[in-house]
Amino acid sequence: MLESNLLIINDYIDYLKYERKLSINTTSSYYNNLYLFSKYLNNKDILVINAKDIRDFIYSIDKSSKTKAHYLSVLNSFYNYLINTDKIKVNPCNTVKMPKMEQTLPNYLTTEEIDKLFNIRLIKPLDYRNKAMLELLYATGTRISELINLTFSQVDFADCTLRVMGKGKKERLIPISDNALEYLLLYINEYRPFILKTKTSEYIFINRDGHMISRQGFFKILKDLCKKAGIKKNISPHTLRHSFATHLLNNGADLRVIQELLGHENLTTTEIYSHLQNKKIVDDYTNHPRAMIEKGIK
């Protein structure tokens, strides 16, 4: 039964790859989720399961509510596909409630921490590459996947804009700050040729072998730079995206403008930064002398 279940899952993955045009990372994630579900069913036919099977599986996962919700979303999409292909009549996920999500605020760097992180000793060509990547990530709020896949055709140097393809193949234009553009041009014109040597590449940011730099490669670089800068926060490339949005909001940018720059489909996704700003206001108030007196702190 496991083999027949996997055949159905593979058909769905092919649909995601070739019709929906989803990325390799997304389709691999979906396959892993569905494979785990198939194993959990213990040879039960994946086409005849019910809401209780779904519910029991979701709550057997020893993960966060966010991860449980992700699994349920994957299963819901999978069974909708099976309905559309006339393999089943009813989606067993329909009556399964989404796990209650604990609200977590995004981690971000302060402007002081940004200054420390970006204060790189520029000696080798790779240092200039790292500097350009940091400046561009923070100046544009792009996802790391969008940055590492950036090609020369996506940059309009005259208009100082990036054209990136985000989630759902949605294209957006993002302005580049003068500072970020300066370091990008410096890297491209003066130091990228030393890294590339005799090779060619359409990608702007390359590793020492002349290939597109990987997400994992840049994550390691970022960790090393944080250590050198004395930043002890647990950060990732996405932290710079959060910092970009938070600092824009703190400086008076409209939430809908930030939504457009980040490429969020729904404004509710962007509104998390308002919660972050509200938390900062509360934290700042509690440090006010009068507030401290009210709490009995003298």
Side-chain angles (χ1 to χ4, degrees), residues 2 47 78 88 95 99 101 111-112 126 135 181 184 193 205 210 212 234 242 245 263 277 280-281 289:
L2 178 61
L47 297 178
F78 172 64
I88 60 172
T95 58
M101 303 281 284
T111 53
E112 293 79 8
L126 293 177
E135 292 284 354
L181 185 63
L184 178 61
F205 297 109
M212 179 187 80
N234 184 26
H242 292 320
Q277 187 183 46
K280 184 179 185 301
I281 291 170

Side-chain angles (χ1 to χ4, degrees), residues 4-12 46-47 78 82 87:
S4 61
N5 285 345
L6 289 180
L7 285 174
I8 296 170
I9 290 171
N10 282 327
D11 285 342
Y12 173 61
I46 206 166
L47 297 178
F78 172 64
L82 294 180
K87 290 185 172 62

Side-chain angles (χ1 to χ4, degrees), residues 20-223:
R20 292 280 306 281
K21 307 293 185 184
L22 297 187
S23 68
I24 294 174
N25 287 340
T26 301
T27 54
S28 295
S29 172
Y30 272 50
Y31 178 82
N32 292 336
N33 294 162
L34 292 169
Y35 178 77
L36 185 64
F37 176 59
S38 181
K39 284 188 68 177
Y40 173 83
L41 293 177
N42 195 22
N43 288 326
K44 188 172 183 179
D45 189 345
I46 206 166
L47 297 178
V48 299
I49 60 102
N50 54 40
K52 184 179 183 302
D53 295 315
I54 298 286
R55 197 176 294 109
D56 289 346
F57 168 69
I58 293 299
Y59 288 97
S60 73
I61 302 168
D62 186 22
K63 299 287 184 180
S64 67
S65 297
K66 184 177 180 181
T67 303
K68 292 177 189 289
H70 170 73
Y71 271 91
L72 181 56
S73 177
V74 169
L75 288 171
N76 184 57
S77 177
F78 172 64
Y79 280 104
N80 278 336
Y81 162 80
L82 294 180
I83 289 174
N84 293 334
T85 52
D86 296 322
K87 290 185 172 62
I88 60 172
K89 298 294 183 185
V90 179
N91 186 336
C93 299
N94 284 345
T95 58
V96 180
K97 290 184 179 180
M98 187 68 72
K100 188 174 181 181
M101 303 281 284
E102 63 272 9
Q103 191 174 44
T104 55
L105 296 176
N107 189 23
Y108 73 99
L109 296 175
T110 65
T111 53
E112 293 79 8
E113 287 169 330
I114 288 287
D115 289 340
K116 285 182 181 178
L117 177 61
F118 285 27
N119 188 25
I120 300 173
R121 290 187 64 195
L122 300 175
I123 301 172
K124 301 177 182 178
L126 293 177
D127 297 329
Y128 286 88
R129 179 205 61 190
N130 297 343
K131 174 71 171 175
M133 291 189 77
L134 286 177
E135 292 284 354
L136 206 56
L137 270 179
Y138 177 61
T140 61
T142 52
R143 299 175 179 92
I144 184 59
S145 58
E146 294 167 346
L147 190 76
I148 62 176
N149 283 285
L150 199 65
T151 61
F152 286 95
S153 63
Q154 293 174 258
V155 185
D156 188 325
F157 293 99
D159 286 344
C160 304
T161 56
L162 293 183
R163 178 171 47 83
V164 297
M165 192 71 71
K167 290 184 177 180
K169 303 295 181 183
K170 186 178 178 182
E171 188 178 273
R172 67 188 193 279
L173 281 177
I174 311 172
I176 312 173
S177 69
D178 291 342
N179 195 57
L181 185 63
E182 178 186 345
Y183 282 105
L184 178 61
L185 288 171
L186 181 62
Y187 156 69
I188 290 172
N189 295 330
E190 301 294 333
Y191 297 98
R192 186 176 179 274
F194 286 100
I195 303 172
L196 197 59
K197 297 174 184 174
T198 58
K199 297 179 181 178
T200 58
S201 175
E202 62 178 328
Y203 298 106
I204 292 178
F205 297 109
I206 53 175
N207 61 23
R208 62 179 71 249
D209 296 320
H211 304 301
M212 179 187 80
I213 190 169
S214 69
R215 183 195 304 253
Q216 295 82 0
F218 184 69
F219 185 83
K220 184 177 182 300
I221 291 166
L222 184 59
K223 286 287 187 183

